């Protein structure tokens, strides 16, 4: 008996009970092979994206566990839970794992991998085997990090500042630096793959002016990945060389310069902020256009602002060094450039707002996560402007004000966008729908928990509470208790989506090809997509986001 003869409009057979796989799923990439080997040796970009999703989520919870330890320790001014050494190691592992094993690869390696070929009408990335290799390199770097964790950790902070890291630290500095060095190659290969794919594999009619803004943002991110990551890699090699062989690179006694390390590190690490946030900006553009059912206002300005952020981001590293003794004239220039980089970010927020104006907005979970992103990103951006001003930066440098600002951008912004992307494209990736009610509750709890966790830290920093201290003046305890209470809500809110999304994999209703009535080539293929993405390569004849435009008088 054929499936066609007995299936409903989703392709479910009569004895499916509404929860087993559909006819579409049986032909999808998820069913292209059932063995472990078929997953570990796949070159399908969609399966590699799923491998990244699993591994990145694992590291997210390891890094989150370190943060939970820190917040529990900070409940009392005496720091009763962890030793001085243990606290240093906890915040170092939290930073290393979250920055290099979650925030940087989260959206590009998961959603970029899955969506870019689908969005540009290609059957895969330009170098499928290189794509799989980059996942193995990522996992190798992750194993080094787990080894560091098991063997006692490292206590330098995620910045590995010299001379602490090269001369005084007694942790596993070289192995931790090796982990970051190794995972850097994964980033470079992914960025290279995206650049070549966007240039060479766009389907007929997919001109640069018709690219989804998600692709534009990943293109800009890839440029930074390819150009900036090698600088960090060679800097970490120099630390290992000085620590192991006594070469005088950063040690003044040997003729080195510790400030040289800060210049090299921040030349990579400030653009790395945009590696983390640019893909999130691309996600939010897609979510807002789909929620408002309107074309993006000022498409070229939004696309161009991604490229502008990528370029200007290379020119602002010195604003991390205002109190390091660098030239006051250099500090003044870096201060000005740091204010300039806010302009393209402001353009995006303005254009998103204009897009929502008079839109037919659906209050679905992806939109709520996008709005959470915009609110937190604006607070993080405005406090970034405060930190770019020389006089204020000197006052709040190395305080909790910087911690709060950084987390509003990186965690509030990027993680909100990650969850927004997960909720928006989950039906496409897995072929199942999830509970919208639980999605809305999750978005609200994450927003509430995040603000309760990190807003008190702005006040702590302004009042003078230094970062990286686990014993502190008792007058700060109330704000720390607020912050730790928020962390409990935030931790539960982060766990919640994985519960109902995992449940939906088996018990969710089959997803339609385009459940959000969105535009873009990825919504023209079944959910989940077939192995080869498209039966025939599509031809694009319409502009991006071609939603009907309502004009005065009611004509479309």
């Amino acid at each position: 008996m054929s499936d066609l003869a007995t299936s409903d409009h989703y392709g479910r057979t009569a004895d499916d009970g509404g929860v087993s796989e559909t006819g579409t799923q049986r032909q999808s990439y998820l069913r292209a092979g059932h063995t472990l080997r078929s997953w570990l040796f796949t070159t399908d970009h969609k399966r590699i994206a799923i491998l990244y999703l699993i591994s990145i989520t694992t590291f997210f919870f390891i890094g989150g566990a370190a943060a939970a330890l820190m917040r529990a320790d900070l409940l009392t001014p005496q720091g009763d839970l962890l030793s001085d050494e243990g606290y240093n190691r906890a915040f170092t592992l939290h930073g290393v794992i979250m920055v290099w094993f979650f925030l940087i690869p989260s959206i590009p390696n998961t959603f970029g991998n899955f969506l870019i070929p689908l969005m540009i009408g290609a059957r895969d990335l330009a170098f499928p085997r290189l794509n799989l290799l980059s996942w193995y390199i990522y996992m190798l770097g992750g194993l080094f990090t787990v080894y560091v964790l098991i063997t006692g950790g490292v206590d330098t902070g995620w910045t590995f500042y010299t001379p602490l890291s090269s001369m005084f630290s007694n942790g596993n500095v070289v192995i931790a630096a090796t982990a970051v060095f190794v995972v850097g190659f994964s980033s470079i290969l992914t960025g290279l793959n995206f650049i070549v794919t966007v240039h060479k594999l766009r389907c007929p009619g997919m001109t640069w002016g018709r690219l989804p803004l998600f692709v534009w943002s990943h293109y800009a991110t890839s440029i930074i990945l390819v150009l900036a990551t090698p600088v960090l890699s060679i800097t970490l090699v120099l630390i290992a060389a000085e620590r192991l062989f006594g070469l005088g690179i950063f040690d003044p006694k040997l003729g080195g310069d510790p400030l040289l390390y800060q210049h090299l590190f921040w030349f990579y690490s400030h653009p790395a902020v945009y590696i983390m946030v640019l893909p999130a900006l691309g996600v939010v553009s897609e979510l807002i256009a789909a929620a408002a059912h309107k074309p993006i206002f000022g498409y070229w300005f939004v696309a161009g602002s991604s490229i502008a952020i990528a370029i200007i981001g290379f020119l602002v590293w010195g604003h991390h060094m205002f109190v390091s003794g660098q030239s006051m004239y250099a500090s003044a220039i870096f201060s000005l450039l740091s204010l300039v980089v806010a302009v393209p970010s402001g353009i995006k927020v303005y254009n998103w707002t204009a897009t929502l104006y008079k839109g037919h907005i659906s209050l679905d979970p992806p939109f709520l996560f996008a709005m959470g992103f915009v609110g937190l990103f604006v607070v993080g951006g405005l406090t970034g402007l405060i930190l770019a001003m020389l006089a204020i930066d000197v006052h709040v440098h190395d305080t909790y004000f910087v911690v709060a600002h950084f987390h509003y951008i990186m965690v509030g912004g990027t993680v909100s966008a990650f969850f927004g992307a997960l909720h928006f494209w989950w039906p496409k990736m897995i072929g199942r729908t999830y509970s919208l009610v639980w999605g809305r509750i999750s978005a609200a709890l994450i927003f509430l928990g995040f603000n309760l966790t990190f807003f008190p830290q702005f006040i702590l920093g302004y009042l003078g509470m230094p970062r990286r201290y686990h014993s502190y003046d008792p007058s700060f305890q109330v704000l720390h208790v607020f912050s730790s209470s928020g962390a409990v809500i935030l931790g539960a809110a982060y766990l919640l989506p994985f519960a109902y999304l995992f449940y939906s994999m088996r018990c969710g209703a089959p997803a339609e090809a385009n459940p959000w009535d969105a535009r873009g080539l990825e919504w023209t293929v079944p959910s989940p997509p077939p192995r080869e993405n498209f039966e025939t390569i599509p031809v694009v004849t319409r502009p991006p986001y071609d939603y009907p435009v309502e004009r005065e008088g009611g004509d479309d």
Side-chain angles (χ1 to χ4, degrees):
M1 184 180 294
S2 70
D3 291 344
L4 184 62
T6 61
S7 61
D8 63 11
H9 68 286
Y10 286 124
R12 292 175 296 189
T13 53
D15 59 351
D16 276 346
V19 292
S20 62
E21 65 182 4
T22 65
T24 298
Q25 285 176 320
R26 278 191 285 275
Q27 299 168 21
S28 75
Y29 78 97
L30 291 172
R31 297 294 181 269
H34 295 83
T35 63
L36 186 61
R37 177 186 174 85
S38 71
W39 281 91
L40 295 181
F41 291 94
T42 183
T43 54
D44 182 353
H45 66 101
K46 301 181 289 298
R47 285 193 159 211
I48 295 172
I50 298 296
L51 292 175
Y52 269 118
L53 180 62
I54 295 169
S55 47
I56 283 169
T57 301
T58 303
F59 282 109
F60 176 70
F61 285 114
I62 295 175
L69 269 179
M70 292 158 53
R71 287 313 323 170
D73 187 55
L74 288 165
L75 275 172
T76 58
Q78 298 79 21
D80 301 310
L81 182 63
L82 298 173
S83 64
D84 296 349
E85 188 78 10
Y87 186 80
N88 289 346
R89 291 171 190 247
F91 74 67
T92 300
L93 275 171
H94 168 69
V96 168
I97 290 175
M98 284 303 199
V99 169
W100 281 295
F101 293 92
F102 176 73
L103 288 170
I104 286 179
S106 59
I107 295 177
N109 292 32
T110 303
F111 298 104
N113 243 320
F114 194 96
L115 293 167
I116 286 177
L118 285 164
M119 284 181 163
I120 65 171
R123 290 207 162 97
D124 209 322
L125 290 173
F127 306 114
R129 290 176 181 167
L130 205 63
N131 195 22
L132 179 62
L133 176 63
S134 77
W135 178 74
Y136 274 104
I137 293 173
Y138 170 85
M139 291 305 297
L140 181 62
L143 290 176
F144 273 105
T145 307
V146 171
Y147 177 79
V148 170
L149 178 66
I150 294 172
T151 56
V154 63
D155 59 355
T156 60
W158 72 277
T159 53
F160 297 103
Y161 268 6
T162 58
L164 173 62
S165 62
S166 60
M167 296 170 59
F168 302 109
S169 172
N170 56 9
N172 294 310
V173 174
V174 174
I175 301 174
T178 302
V180 178
F181 176 82
V182 168
V183 83
F185 284 93
S186 172
S187 297
I188 293 169
L189 294 181
T190 299
L192 184 66
N193 218 341
F194 286 174
I195 291 172
V196 177
T197 300
V198 172
H199 274 273
K200 304 300 291 185
L201 296 187
R202 284 176 287 128
C203 66
M206 181 59 79
T207 61
W208 288 93
R210 290 173 176 167
L211 280 179
L213 291 167
F214 179 90
V215 178
W216 269 108
S217 67
H218 278 73
Y219 183 78
T221 304
S222 300
I223 292 172
I224 304 175
L225 282 171
V226 170
L227 295 181
T229 308
V231 178
L232 174 72
S233 300
I234 197 65
T235 305
L236 295 173
V237 170
L238 294 177
I239 283 184
E242 181 165 282
R243 190 174 173 90
L244 295 176
F245 307 114
L247 300 181
I249 302 165
F250 306 118
D251 182 358
K253 286 190 299 187
L254 300 173
D257 182 359
L259 272 189
L260 173 62
Y261 174 82
Q262 292 192 36
H263 279 291
L264 293 172
F265 178 81
W266 288 115
F267 182 80
Y268 161 82
S269 292
H270 195 82
V273 171
Y274 302 113
I275 292 173
M276 300 178 224
V277 82
L278 269 172
L281 298 172
V283 167
V284 172
S285 294
E286 300 295 328
L287 303 192
I288 285 179
H293 294 92
K294 284 179 62 184
I296 283 283
F297 181 84
Y299 168 88
W300 276 112
F301 283 96
V302 179
S305 62
S306 294
I307 302 299
I309 289 172
I311 295 171
I312 302 171
F314 277 102
L315 307 175
V316 299
W317 80 89
H319 77 220
H320 294 273
M321 301 168 60
F322 285 161
V323 298
S324 67
Q326 72 178 356
S327 157
M328 60 180 284
Y329 300 107
S331 292
I333 292 171
F334 281 123
S335 173
L336 175 65
L337 290 169
S338 300
L339 296 175
V340 169
V341 80
V343 174
S345 301
I347 288 173
K348 286 183 182 291
V349 175
Y350 170 78
N351 285 25
W352 292 333
T353 307
T355 302
L356 290 172
Y357 180 65
K358 290 188 176 181
H360 299 287
I361 297 171
S362 308
L363 296 178
D364 291 324
F367 174 72
L368 297 180
F369 279 109
M371 287 299 95
F373 170 92
V374 173
L376 301 176
F377 179 72
V378 167
V379 173
L382 290 176
T383 51
L385 292 179
I386 292 172
L387 289 172
M389 297 175 187
L390 280 164
I392 301 178
D393 183 83
V394 171
H395 175 69
V396 296
H397 186 84
D398 256 348
T399 69
Y400 264 82
F401 193 94
V402 178
V403 176
H405 155 71
F406 182 79
H407 281 81
Y408 262 81
I409 294 287
M410 295 296 93
V411 181
T414 302
V415 178
S416 292
F418 176 81
F419 278 105
L422 194 60
H423 285 75
F424 188 58
W425 284 292
W426 180 264
K428 177 60 60 184
M429 297 171 77
I430 304 300
R432 298 283 178 170
T433 59
Y434 57 87
S435 166
L436 296 182
V437 173
W438 280 113
R440 294 183 183 107
I441 292 172
S442 174
L445 284 177
I446 287 176
F447 187 78
L448 172 67
F450 180 87
N451 280 294
L452 187 56
T453 304
F454 291 102
F455 194 82
Q457 296 181 14
F458 280 125
I459 305 171
L460 281 169
Y462 180 76
L463 294 175
M465 169 81 198
R467 63 195 296 193
R468 297 171 180 154
Y469 280 45
H470 79 126
S471 60
Y472 53 85
D473 190 287
S475 63
F476 295 135
Q477 186 178 13
V478 172
L479 290 168
H480 271 301
V481 170
F482 273 122
S483 191
S484 294
S485 303
V488 173
I489 298 173
L490 188 59
Y494 280 154
L495 285 170
L496 188 58
F498 293 100
Y500 60 76
L501 291 177
F502 186 76
Y503 178 81
S504 78
M505 291 174 67
R506 177 60 187 160
C507 300
E512 299 173 357
N514 189 2
W516 310 111
D517 190 25
R519 299 297 187 267
L521 291 177
E522 78 270 28
W523 302 110
T524 64
V525 299
S527 301
R531 170 68 180 85
E532 300 297 331
N533 293 350
F534 303 95
E535 286 187 13
T536 57
I537 295 298
V539 177
V540 178
T541 58
R542 303 171 69 90
Y545 313 105
D546 59 332
Y547 295 97
V549 178
E550 293 183 2
R551 305 185 187 283
E552 294 294 335
D555 297 333
D556 288 354

